[in-house]
Amino acid sequence: DLPAFEEEDDVRGLPLPIAGVALDERSLPGEQFRLLGTRLRAFGRDKRLRRIGVVSAALGEGKTTVSLGLARALALDRQRRVLLLELDLRRPAVDKALGLQPPEVGLRQYLEGASDVPKLRRHGASGFFVLSAGPGVMDSPEILSSPRMNRLFEAADRVFDFVIVDCPPLLPVADAV
């Protein structure tokens, strides 16, 4: 039983300065993300490339900024649907980077069973959808490898051309494993 997504259109906020530069396709970093997006689309023609995980070794190395820039670059092609999925449930940063209030229901609530419908928000200025962590604190990193997580990925693969996954950092916690 795959979940059905509920989509909310055009959420907007004032992004943090570094995120704003990554989201601006006219900036030098934005142009580099466009180049990366073009290469990934070309690579995806030969191999079915659906999910792209963005990781870092430690906190503060810029994985969320890279995730945002890459999601924006891939969403520039309006015929492609792109989801930014925030898996860093201990230190979520996507909403803050985009200048958004955390949603009432996020990925954490879906994985813990408090909601059966993952609620996506479309970032109006950038054209990609966001499923951020949501409120609260993660009690158990094991929920990241739950059957609900697997079903969410399967559903996302059917609905989106690309799923950009903002992963937890690799070194400080077991979540990334």
Side-chain angles (χ1 to χ4, degrees):
D1 234 10
L2 297 182
F5 295 108
E6 183 178 308
E7 297 179 3
E8 181 181 317
D9 280 337
D10 291 341
V11 293
R12 294 177 189 264
L14 183 61
L16 294 178
I18 191 132
V21 170
L23 293 169
D24 181 0
E25 69 270 11
R26 297 171 310 228
S27 70
L28 182 57
E31 185 62 37
Q32 294 301 308
F33 284 120
R34 286 177 71 181
L35 178 61
L36 178 59
T38 300
R39 289 182 176 165
L40 287 171
R41 282 190 297 273
F43 180 74
R45 284 188 209 117
D46 296 334
K47 299 180 184 212
R48 190 75 172 127
L49 180 64
R50 308 271 311 165
R51 299 181 208 154
I52 301 167
V54 180
V55 299
S56 65
L59 300 171
E61 292 183 340
K63 66 176 179 53
T64 298
T65 303
V66 171
S67 297
L68 290 167
L70 184 55
R72 170 66 176 142
L74 291 170
L76 285 171
D77 179 353
R78 296 291 181 182
Q79 295 178 349
R80 297 188 192 276
R81 290 176 49 94
V82 178
L83 172 64
L84 174 58
L85 179 61
E86 182 173 41
L87 283 190
D88 192 345
L89 300 182
R90 288 186 200 244
R91 296 188 191 273
V94 169
D95 289 325
K96 184 177 180 182
L98 290 172
L100 302 174
Q101 292 296 317
E104 288 182 30
V105 175
L107 177 63
R108 183 181 297 113
Q109 288 70 38
Y110 169 74
L111 292 177
E112 291 173 348
S115 172
D116 288 328
V117 180
K119 295 188 180 180
L120 310 179
R121 297 177 292 164
R122 185 181 182 99
H123 189 253
S126 301
F128 57 84
F129 288 86
V130 177
L131 178 53
S132 58
V137 177
M138 180 177 64
D139 293 328
S140 168
E142 290 77 22
I143 65 171
L144 293 174
S145 59
S146 69
R148 286 178 78 89
M149 185 77 243
N150 290 336
R151 288 192 301 272
L152 180 86
F153 273 129
E154 287 178 41
D157 286 348
R158 290 183 182 187
V159 174
F160 293 95
D161 297 296
F162 291 102
V163 178
I164 307 303
V165 184
D166 185 22
C167 297
L170 295 172
L171 294 180
V173 293
D175 306 5
V177 177

